Amino acid sequence: MSKEIPDYPLDIFTPEAVRNAREVDDALREFAPVVRLHDGTVMIARHEHVTSGLLDWKTFSSTSRPWHDPTSPRPEILLTDDPPRHTQVRKVIADALSPRALERVKAVFEQSARELLDRLRTRDTVDAVGDVAQAFVFQVLPDILGLPEKGRENMHGFSEMVWATMGPPGELFDQAMEHDYSAVIEWLETQCERSALDPEGIGEQIYAASDSGQVTLPEAKLLLQTVLSAGADTTFITMANALRAWALFPGEYEKLRADPKKVRAAFDESLRWDSPSRMAGRMATRDVEIGEYTVPAGSKVGLMFAAANRDPRYWDAPDEYRLDRDTRHSLGWGYGVHGCVGRVLATMEAQALLGEIVRQVESIELAGAYEPWMTTVGHGPIRQPVKLNFG
């Protein structure tokens, strides 16, 4: 006979909880294999159970999820689909962002990274987020998608709104929506139109799938908007976290400089060490046994990536950043059919920027306090001053 799922006594989405998300999420993971929040949402945070949940899309469906609002600014496609529809739609993005398709923009990434490092050389301290990782991604991502220059200042507001919709309503949701909502939505709707795009950009390749009937024209636009939102924040947060980790673990950075080919491994470990997404939402389509507990069919469920990526039952010394760690079962990229479709793109961006930093910067030091990104489900620094010691 299964035990009743314990009620969790804390609200994990308050501003104070978000400021201390690592400790808060780890404490939930250790409280019980599965817990119930005050609004009824069931949270699962141990590596074994999160992994199995992500792999079993039939049981943990993406078609409904905690706090889902179909009228929100988040593009309603791909993340809210299950196979077979998800498979059909995903192929459009996978083709547009395949290694072969992206090879032609690799030089764009590398040139942009060199130009950025040239500008940073004269600075005593820089912000690992705003001056480095975000500056790079917010330039190269819309460039390769073929978006016009006009209105790109709305990218961060768009991302804030999208991430806010993944968590519950509350103070942080309201703050995210304080951006000029109408300006953001107008930019999103007009600048992602096919007619506004550079015909040589990847955005046009996504729209081309509507010509062949793989998706409709409105769906192609939603897919472009999905890449624009999903491809920005998680990537720049993870790269900023890499710089932070290299400052905190200088011995690991020395190893990386001695073997620069491990930049991809360094990025993957950054994604595990401090994952940019706390959780993914799902709906249980049947009763599910989690240890001695049963998650009832119809439950809204949160599968907690970040806590699982620090689960000491699976990872040795999970709070340590280790260049040589085997991250094949890290959940930072997601898992199963909903694994990150933009992985090739994010990896190529990271190899360009982080690779250039490894080549030019002898060491990195923290130069100020870490300021957390104040959104309920996204996680990471929104500001981290560092000193880049160029060779």
Side-chain angles (χ1 to χ4, degrees), residues 190-225:
T190 58
Q191 302 306 292
C192 289
E193 285 286 354
R194 190 174 194 176
S195 59
L197 302 178
D198 181 343
E200 299 300 316
I202 289 172
E204 171 57 28
Q205 295 179 41
I206 295 172
Y207 268 107
S210 67
D211 298 334
S212 62
Q214 287 179 271
V215 291
T216 66
L217 196 63
E219 286 173 338
K221 184 176 182 178
L222 288 174
L223 286 174
L224 174 59
Q225 292 169 347

Coordinates of all heavy atoms in Angstrom, one line a residue, residues 190-225:
T190 N 5.9 41.4 -35.7 CA 6.2 42.0 -37.0 C 7.6 41.5 -37.5 O 7.8 41.2 -38.7 CB 6.2 43.5 -36.9 OG1 7.1 43.9 -35.9 CG2 4.8 44.0 -36.6
Q191 N 8.6 41.4 -36.6 CA 9.9 41.1 -37.1 C 10.2 39.6 -37.3 O 11.2 39.3 -37.9 CB 10.9 41.6 -36.0 CG 10.8 43.1 -35.8 CD 10.9 44.0 -37.1 OE1 12.0 44.0 -37.7 NE2 9.8 44.6 -37.4
C192 N 9.2 38.8 -36.9 CA 9.3 37.4 -37.2 C 8.5 37.0 -38.4 O 8.4 35.8 -38.7 CB 8.9 36.5 -36.0 SG 10.2 36.6 -34.6
E193 N 7.9 38.0 -39.0 CA 7.1 37.7 -40.3 C 8.2 37.3 -41.4 O 9.3 37.8 -41.4 CB 6.4 38.9 -40.8 CG 5.1 39.2 -40.0 CD 4.0 38.2 -40.3 OE1 4.1 37.4 -41.2 OE2 2.9 38.3 -39.6
R194 N 7.8 36.4 -42.2 CA 8.7 35.9 -43.3 C 9.2 37.1 -44.1 O 10.4 37.1 -44.5 CB 7.9 34.9 -44.2 CG 8.8 34.2 -45.1 CD 8.1 33.1 -45.9 NE 9.0 32.2 -46.5 CZ 8.6 31.1 -47.2 NH1 7.3 30.8 -47.3 NH2 9.5 30.3 -47.8
S195 N 8.3 38.0 -44.4 CA 8.7 39.2 -45.3 C 9.8 40.0 -44.6 O 10.5 40.8 -45.3 CB 7.5 40.0 -45.6 OG 6.9 40.5 -44.4
A196 N 9.9 40.0 -43.3 CA 10.9 40.8 -42.6 C 12.3 40.2 -42.5 O 13.2 40.9 -42.2 CB 10.4 41.1 -41.2
L197 N 12.4 38.9 -42.8 CA 13.6 38.2 -42.6 C 14.6 38.3 -43.8 O 14.2 38.5 -44.9 CB 13.3 36.7 -42.4 CG 12.4 36.3 -41.2 CD1 12.1 34.8 -41.2 CD2 12.9 36.9 -39.9
D198 N 15.9 38.1 -43.4 CA 16.9 38.0 -44.5 C 16.7 36.6 -45.1 O 16.7 35.6 -44.4 CB 18.3 38.0 -43.8 CG 19.4 37.9 -44.8 OD1 19.2 37.4 -45.9 OD2 20.6 38.2 -44.4
P199 N 16.5 36.6 -46.4 CA 16.2 35.3 -47.1 C 17.4 34.3 -47.0 O 17.2 33.1 -47.2 CB 16.0 35.7 -48.5 CG 16.6 37.0 -48.7 CD 16.5 37.7 -47.4
E200 N 18.6 34.7 -46.6 CA 19.7 33.8 -46.4 C 19.8 33.3 -45.0 O 20.6 32.4 -44.7 CB 21.0 34.5 -46.7 CG 21.1 35.1 -48.2 CD 21.0 33.9 -49.2 OE1 21.6 32.9 -48.9 OE2 20.3 34.1 -50.1
G201 N 18.9 33.7 -44.1 CA 19.0 33.3 -42.7 C 18.3 32.0 -42.5 O 17.5 31.4 -43.3
I202 N 18.5 31.4 -41.3 CA 17.9 30.1 -40.9 C 16.4 30.3 -40.7 O 15.6 29.3 -40.9 CB 18.6 29.6 -39.6 CG1 20.0 29.1 -39.9 CG2 17.8 28.5 -39.0 CD1 20.9 28.8 -38.8
G203 N 15.9 31.5 -40.4 CA 14.5 31.7 -40.2 C 13.8 31.3 -41.5 O 12.7 30.8 -41.5
E204 N 14.4 31.7 -42.7 CA 13.7 31.4 -43.9 C 13.7 29.9 -44.2 O 12.7 29.4 -44.7 CB 14.5 32.1 -45.1 CG 14.1 31.6 -46.5 CD 12.6 31.9 -46.8 OE1 12.0 32.8 -46.2 OE2 12.1 31.1 -47.6
Q205 N 14.7 29.1 -43.7 CA 14.6 27.7 -43.8 C 13.5 27.1 -43.0 O 12.9 26.1 -43.4 CB 16.0 27.1 -43.3 CG 17.2 27.5 -44.2 CD 18.5 26.9 -43.6 OE1 18.5 25.7 -43.2 NE2 19.5 27.7 -43.6
I206 N 13.2 27.7 -41.9 CA 12.1 27.2 -41.1 C 10.8 27.5 -41.8 O 9.9 26.6 -41.9 CB 12.1 27.9 -39.7 CG1 13.3 27.5 -38.9 CG2 10.8 27.6 -38.9 CD1 13.5 28.2 -37.6
Y207 N 10.7 28.7 -42.4 CA 9.5 29.0 -43.2 C 9.3 28.1 -44.4 O 8.2 27.8 -44.8 CB 9.5 30.5 -43.6 CG 8.8 31.4 -42.6 CD1 9.5 32.3 -41.8 CD2 7.4 31.4 -42.5 CE1 8.9 33.1 -40.9 CE2 6.8 32.3 -41.6 CZ 7.5 33.1 -40.8 OH 6.9 34.0 -39.9
A208 N 10.4 27.7 -45.0 CA 10.4 26.9 -46.2 C 9.6 25.6 -45.9 O 9.1 25.0 -46.8 CB 11.8 26.6 -46.7
A209 N 9.6 25.1 -44.6 CA 8.9 23.9 -44.3 C 7.4 24.1 -44.5 O 6.7 23.1 -44.7 CB 9.2 23.5 -42.9
S210 N 6.9 25.3 -44.5 CA 5.5 25.5 -44.7 C 5.2 25.4 -46.2 O 4.1 25.1 -46.6 CB 5.1 26.9 -44.2 OG 5.7 27.9 -44.9
D211 N 6.2 25.6 -47.0 CA 6.0 25.5 -48.5 C 5.8 24.1 -48.9 O 5.0 23.7 -49.8 CB 7.2 26.1 -49.3 CG 7.4 27.6 -49.0 OD1 6.4 28.2 -48.7 OD2 8.5 28.0 -49.1
S212 N 6.4 23.2 -48.2 CA 6.3 21.7 -48.5 C 5.2 21.0 -47.7 O 5.0 19.8 -47.9 CB 7.7 21.0 -48.2 OG 8.0 21.1 -46.8
G213 N 4.5 21.8 -46.8 CA 3.4 21.2 -46.1 C 3.8 20.5 -44.8 O 2.9 19.9 -44.1
Q214 N 5.0 20.6 -44.4 CA 5.4 20.0 -43.1 C 4.7 20.7 -41.9 O 4.3 20.0 -40.9 CB 6.9 20.1 -42.9 CG 7.8 19.1 -43.7 CD 9.2 19.3 -43.5 OE1 9.9 20.1 -44.1 NE2 9.8 18.6 -42.5
V215 N 4.6 22.0 -42.0 CA 3.9 22.8 -41.0 C 3.1 23.8 -41.8 O 3.3 24.1 -42.9 CB 4.8 23.4 -40.0 CG1 5.5 22.4 -39.1 CG2 5.9 24.3 -40.7
T216 N 2.2 24.5 -41.1 CA 1.5 25.6 -41.7 C 2.3 26.9 -41.6 O 3.3 26.9 -40.8 CB 0.1 25.8 -41.0 OG1 0.4 26.3 -39.6 CG2 -0.7 24.6 -41.0
L217 N 1.9 27.9 -42.3 CA 2.6 29.2 -42.2 C 2.6 29.7 -40.8 O 3.7 30.2 -40.2 CB 2.1 30.2 -43.2 CG 2.9 31.4 -43.5 CD1 4.2 31.0 -44.2 CD2 2.1 32.4 -44.4
P218 N 1.5 29.8 -40.1 CA 1.5 30.3 -38.7 C 2.4 29.4 -37.8 O 3.0 29.9 -36.8 CB 0.0 30.2 -38.3 CG -0.7 30.3 -39.5 CD 0.1 29.5 -40.5
E219 N 2.4 28.1 -38.0 CA 3.2 27.2 -37.2 C 4.7 27.5 -37.4 O 5.5 27.4 -36.5 CB 2.9 25.7 -37.5 CG 1.6 25.3 -36.9 CD 1.2 23.9 -37.3 OE1 1.7 23.4 -38.4 OE2 0.4 23.2 -36.6
A220 N 5.1 27.8 -38.7 CA 6.5 28.1 -39.0 C 6.9 29.4 -38.2 O 8.0 29.4 -37.6 CB 6.7 28.3 -40.5
K221 N 6.0 30.3 -38.1 CA 6.3 31.6 -37.4 C 6.5 31.2 -35.9 O 7.4 31.7 -35.2 CB 5.2 32.6 -37.6 CG 5.4 33.9 -36.9 CD 4.3 34.9 -37.2 CE 4.6 36.3 -36.6 NZ 3.5 37.2 -37.0
L222 N 5.6 30.4 -35.3 CA 5.7 30.0 -33.9 C 7.1 29.3 -33.7 O 7.7 29.4 -32.6 CB 4.6 29.1 -33.5 CG 3.2 29.8 -33.4 CD1 2.1 28.7 -33.1 CD2 3.2 30.8 -32.2
L223 N 7.5 28.4 -34.6 CA 8.7 27.7 -34.5 C 9.9 28.7 -34.5 O 10.9 28.5 -33.7 CB 8.9 26.7 -35.6 CG 8.0 25.4 -35.5 CD1 8.2 24.6 -36.7 CD2 8.4 24.6 -34.2
L224 N 9.9 29.7 -35.3 CA 11.0 30.7 -35.3 C 11.0 31.4 -34.0 O 12.1 31.6 -33.4 CB 10.7 31.7 -36.4 CG 11.7 32.9 -36.5 CD1 13.1 32.4 -36.6 CD2 11.3 33.8 -37.6
Q225 N 9.8 31.8 -33.5 CA 9.8 32.4 -32.2 C 10.2 31.5 -31.0 O 10.9 32.0 -30.1 CB 8.3 32.9 -31.9 CG 7.9 34.0 -32.8 CD 6.4 34.3 -32.8 OE1 5.6 33.5 -32.2 NE2 6.0 35.4 -33.4

